[in-house]
Amino acid sequence: MSYIVTGGTGFIGRFLVERLLERDGDIHLLVREVSLDKLERLMDRWGPASRERVHPLVGDLSTPRLGVDPAQVTALDGTVDHVFHLAAMYELESDPAAQSKVNVQGTRHALQLADAVGAGCVHHVSSIAAAGRYPGRFREDMFEEATGLDHAYFRTKHASEQVVRTEYDRPWRIYRPGIVVGHSQTGEMDKIDGPYHFFPALKRLALLPRQLPLLGIEADRVYLVPVDYVAAALDHIGHAGGWDGKTFHLVEPKPPKSGEVINAFCRAAGAPQFPIRLDARASRLVPRPLRTVVTALPPVHRVLNTVRHGLGIPKQTLAYVFNPTRFDTTNAQTALAGSGITCPSIDDYADVLWDYWERELEPAHAVPGLLSKRDRIARRTIVVTGASSGIGRETALQLGRRRAKVILVARSREDLEQTRKEIEVGGGEAHVHPADLSDLHDAERVVAEIIAAHKRVDVLVNNAGISIRRGLELSYDRIHDFQRTMQINYFGALRLILGFVPGMRERGYGQVINVSSIGVQTNQPRFSAYVASKAALDAFSRAVATEVVDDGVAITTIYMPLVRTPMIAPTNAYRMFPALAPEEAAEMILRAIRERPKRVATTLGNIGEVGYAIAPKAFDALANYGYRLFPDSPAARGESGEHDTELYGFMPERRAFAYLFRGIHW
């Protein structure tokens, strides 16, 4: 095989060339002389084989036969199996004359070159814009039926197809991708375009509570398509037999509506969603001349433009959002059958696109005063207490994978060193600072040590703590239970907060995350010492949050449900309880860092908190039933023995109760 590719250094082209390099044959890339350096960089990306098989054809779309040297044309005569013509002007806001020159004349010149070398087949990459604003289902065999070609981009894509259909006598195939977005696995994108124009607005929405329901507008279906699907489909269909003279719509067969797309990106951004959406298509019931007159009225026009400019959304972008055309995909789906190449749903990769935008594209268009969710983790100095095991250890490992600078705090240096090694093996950075946080002098020492060594702390995760499960009747002479839980769960955490928050306030950015318990919300029996210590920290945090909020410091409380860690091991009954894995608990903490919410809680915990406020006596009675159902463990009673026969009696009833109140530690 031998190929000529125009637009091979462009966004779609670079991924197509990667696919072609997996096959045999030489690849001749049209490239302007000023872009030879760009081609060199791409060959570094494509690997050593590309330097032997990728050959530049210096030329330009504006010149007949693309301006390729006649000697090269002669050398290629009779050797080219496929010409992939991707080069075009895709910017909707570009000058109409420039679009015509590149998209229409450029296609004509590419066909001249293909004819001159006797190419086997020309693969013309068009766009769904070639259908214009056709009101209804647009089949792949439709062309002349296109209507609403008033926009220059739509008009030139339609005209370039006409050049292929009417002026070229050799075999051809036409491909109409939808709105091409980033790579579905990596998020890679080369510019701000299409739906990306909405991202800064969504980032502003992320400042609102995530649970806040918003009222939005539902427009038409949106045909987003990731670049890797387009490249894979071009490669596969281009080499499949029997499809000459056919057109292929490279879009999702069952595309989402615009509101569904916005909600997918809202979830990725951590912003509230639009559960209630007004159907904008109802406006079509109003005669178009009347709509034109109304929107042209100076007050209306001014308001619409103010909103659009404030959100940074070009007017032309809305042409794709409010488009009544439906695109049939029969040819494309038939040609791709059995290949394993399918167009993924936006729900499957919206978060990947968002992450790449925040890391690589957004900084040049940053919303003042806002940090990307990734930047709240990567390169941040994050202290994690209790990092030697359980939730703390797993949180530290996940932070390390996301390139945070992790400060590990716990009593055991040996266990912390093991955590550090695992983080560093994965390419992360971690530092060990052992301390006994139940000793306030040691807690004060480690604060000073960390500040001296690392200069700053961006996030403090107060995870270290102890839990005691013992009923009141067994605690009458155990005041020390209450003292030791307060000592580490409250005073130890408080000592760290008082040590690190001054620096956060001075720098104007920081976060304290307190890992509390669902028991604070549901008032669990047998946990009075533990719940009281966590509630004390909760109350302190609510009070001081009002003092530091304007300093850029967030305080987040996580009401953690039951997690299967060494802390719950002494209670044998918990072996039959449903519980979160440490990985799931760590993800709650990471989400708190990314989104900086006031609180993170489960649905059951919230129900318990509200229910107790409304009907406290009823909740006391319910909790008392659980108290009677699950007695104190042998360890709480000071007895030896691994099993407790009383505790394991009536298993079905206890198991059912545990699963009904999933996540609560009885």
Side-chain angles (χ1 to χ4, degrees):
M1 288 287 179
S2 180
Y3 307 89
I4 290 177
V5 181
T6 73
T9 60
F11 185 52
I12 301 174
R14 73 186 68 157
F15 291 100
L16 175 62
V17 171
E18 286 182 358
R19 305 283 302 201
L20 297 180
L21 284 169
E22 296 175 5
R23 300 178 181 271
D24 295 327
D26 291 337
I27 303 169
H28 305 276
L29 293 190
L30 178 74
V31 59
R32 291 179 298 170
E33 191 166 6
V34 296
S35 298
L36 287 172
D37 288 344
K38 181 179 181 180
L39 178 58
E40 281 291 319
R41 293 191 296 271
L42 283 172
M43 286 196 286
D44 288 338
R45 165 184 172 146
W46 292 330
S50 68
R51 298 197 172 275
E52 299 177 2
R53 296 174 49 201
V54 175
H55 312 285
L57 289 177
V58 177
D60 192 275
L61 288 174
S62 63
T63 309
R65 292 202 309 190
L66 301 181
V68 176
D69 187 286
Q72 286 183 298
V73 175
T74 301
L76 291 172
D77 190 9
T79 68
V80 177
D81 299 282
H82 300 278
V83 174
F84 285 92
H85 178 48
L86 290 82
M89 186 171 287
Y90 295 99
E91 292 78 8
L92 295 179
E93 62 274 15
S94 298
D95 176 66
Q99 291 194 48
S100 179
K101 183 179 180 179
V102 172
N103 294 348
V104 183
Q105 283 297 102
T107 297
R108 183 172 285 115
H109 296 153
L111 296 178
Q112 291 172 356
L113 177 63
D115 190 55
V117 300
C121 185
V122 166
H123 305 273
H124 175 63
V125 180
S126 180
S127 166
I128 59 172
R133 298 176 61 81
Y134 181 82
R137 190 172 185 81
F138 201 81
R139 300 190 310 274
E140 289 158 305
D141 62 353
M142 295 171 68
F143 173 70
E144 298 291 348
E145 296 85 349
T147 58
L149 295 167
D150 49 329
H151 191 282
Y153 180 70
F154 287 37
R155 188 166 57 252
T156 59
K157 296 310 288 184
H158 187 270
S160 66
E161 279 197 27
Q162 188 170 32
V163 169
V164 176
R165 295 169 185 274
T166 61
E167 299 182 18
Y168 191 64
D169 296 328
R170 304 183 67 82
W172 54 263
R173 302 178 188 185
I174 293 175
Y175 308 84
R176 296 173 181 154
I179 306 170
V180 180
V181 295
H183 196 289
S184 66
Q185 299 299 315
T186 67
E188 181 180 347
M189 182 61 175
D190 64 342
K191 61 183 178 180
I192 299 292
D193 197 13
Y196 293 86
H197 287 300
F198 292 87
F199 283 16
L202 298 184
K203 191 161 190 176
R204 290 187 177 97
L205 283 181
L207 294 172
L208 300 175
R210 191 171 187 173
Q211 297 79 12
L212 180 67
L214 300 178
L215 174 64
I217 296 177
E218 186 73 277
D220 296 285
R221 296 190 180 276
V222 181
Y223 288 86
L224 300 182
V225 55
V227 66
D228 47 312
Y229 169 73
V230 175
L234 287 173
D235 173 55
H236 181 82
I237 299 175
H239 291 89
W243 292 102
D244 290 348
K246 302 294 184 182
T247 302
F248 308 89
H249 287 153
L250 303 184
V251 297
E252 189 176 348
K254 296 181 179 180
K257 294 182 179 180
S258 60
E260 295 170 329
V261 172
I262 292 295
N263 278 342
F265 286 124
C266 282
R267 289 191 291 272
Q273 298 181 53
F274 297 84
I276 303 173
R277 302 188 291 274
L278 303 178
D279 196 335
R281 292 171 296 181
S283 65
R284 292 175 189 154
L285 298 175
V286 180
R288 185 171 182 179
L290 180 58
R291 295 203 310 267
T292 303
V293 170
V294 171
T295 56
L297 291 173
V300 176
H301 185 71
R302 189 178 302 113
V303 170
L304 293 177
N305 275 347
T306 299
V307 172
R308 185 170 53 78
H309 285 305
L311 297 178
I313 301 171
K315 181 180 179 180
Q316 293 84 352
T317 300
L318 301 178
Y320 270 125
V321 177
F322 296 96
N323 193 327
T325 313
R326 305 286 180 269
F327 294 95
D328 172 64
T329 60
T330 300
N331 284 350
Q333 296 307 301
T334 303
L336 292 172
S339 68
I341 300 171
T342 59
C343 184
S345 167
I346 185 62
D347 289 325
D348 296 331
Y349 64 95
D351 57 335
V352 180
L353 301 187
W354 181 271
D355 181 69
Y356 187 87
W357 172 78
E358 282 196 320
R359 287 185 289 113
E360 305 295 339
L361 300 177
E362 191 266 347
H365 309 270
V367 178
L370 296 183
L371 285 171
S372 72
K373 291 191 296 181
R374 183 182 178 89
D375 283 344
R376 291 172 184 166
I377 295 179
R379 300 179 299 279
R380 293 288 169 185
T381 301
I382 302 178
V383 172
V384 180
T385 67
S388 59
S389 67
I391 299 172
R393 178 180 180 278
E394 186 58 38
T395 299
L397 293 175
Q398 292 197 29
L399 289 171
R401 295 186 196 111
R402 289 159 177 81
R403 299 300 181 262
K405 179 181 179 181
V406 191
I407 310 301
L408 308 173
V409 178
R411 285 179 297 177
S412 170
R413 176 180 288 276
E414 183 179 355
D415 291 340
L416 290 179
E417 288 291 351
Q418 183 60 39
T419 304
R420 179 186 63 80
K421 289 178 183 177
E422 290 189 43
I423 291 173
E424 292 178 347
V425 166
E429 178 183 1
H431 302 269
V432 170
H433 291 274
D436 180 359
L437 299 182
S438 64
D439 182 339
L440 293 185
H441 294 294
D442 206 26
E444 186 173 3
R445 174 199 59 79
V446 81
V447 166
E449 179 180 290
I450 291 171
I451 292 175
H454 308 288
K455 310 305 179 187
R456 61 184 294 158
V457 169
D458 299 303
V459 181
L460 166 64
V461 180
N462 273 319
N463 167 73
I466 60 171
S467 174
I468 296 177
R469 182 182 184 273
R470 181 175 285 116
L472 181 64
E473 66 178 339
L474 299 178
S475 303
Y476 295 148
D477 58 351
R478 297 183 63 89
I479 188 66
H480 57 281
D481 282 351
F482 299 86
Q483 291 173 325
R484 61 195 183 108
T485 52
M486 288 293 288
Q487 196 67 20
I488 185 169
N489 295 354
Y490 177 57
F491 289 114
L494 180 60
R495 177 62 268 180
L496 299 187
I497 293 172
L498 296 177
F500 294 132
V501 163
M504 295 179 184
R505 299 181 78 178
E506 182 180 346
R507 290 185 297 272
Y509 182 85
Q511 184 180 19
V512 175
I513 296 177
N514 296 321
V515 179
S516 186
S517 166
I518 192 175
V520 176
Q521 297 179 288
T522 55
N523 309 303
Q524 291 314 112
R526 289 197 167 82
F527 286 91
S528 55
Y530 176 66
V531 167
S533 64
K534 290 294 188 181
L537 186 60
D538 194 1
F540 166 82
S541 299
R542 289 199 304 269
V544 300
T546 62
E547 300 180 32
V548 300
V549 64
D550 61 344
D551 295 322
V553 179
I555 299 185
T556 301
T557 299
I558 301 179
Y559 297 99
M560 193 70 71
L562 188 66
V563 182
R564 201 163 301 285
T565 66
M567 182 183 287
I568 71 170
T571 303
N572 290 326
Y574 287 160
R575 297 176 186 177
M576 68 177 184
F577 275 41
L580 293 184
E583 295 81 2
E584 295 174 292
E587 180 52 40
M588 292 177 70
I589 295 174
L590 264 65
R591 189 173 80 238
I593 297 174
R594 290 192 296 262
E595 299 173 9
R596 290 164 63 93
K598 179 71 176 176
R599 48 187 280 154
V600 177
T602 62
T603 300
L604 183 59
N606 289 334
I607 291 173
E609 191 169 6
V610 173
Y612 187 82
I614 296 173
K617 289 186 177 180
F619 268 73
D620 280 352
L622 179 63
N624 181 260
Y625 181 77
Y627 168 72
R628 301 297 178 186
L629 197 60
F630 299 98
D632 285 289
S633 66
R637 296 197 298 264
E639 301 173 1
S640 60
E642 184 177 349
H643 299 290
D644 184 351
T645 55
E646 181 184 358
L647 197 60
Y648 283 85
F650 305 105
M651 285 289 288
E653 182 181 1
R654 287 174 174 163
R655 186 179 296 274
F657 197 79
Y659 274 83
L660 179 62
F661 296 99
R662 182 184 295 268
I664 294 179
H665 34 78
W666 292 100

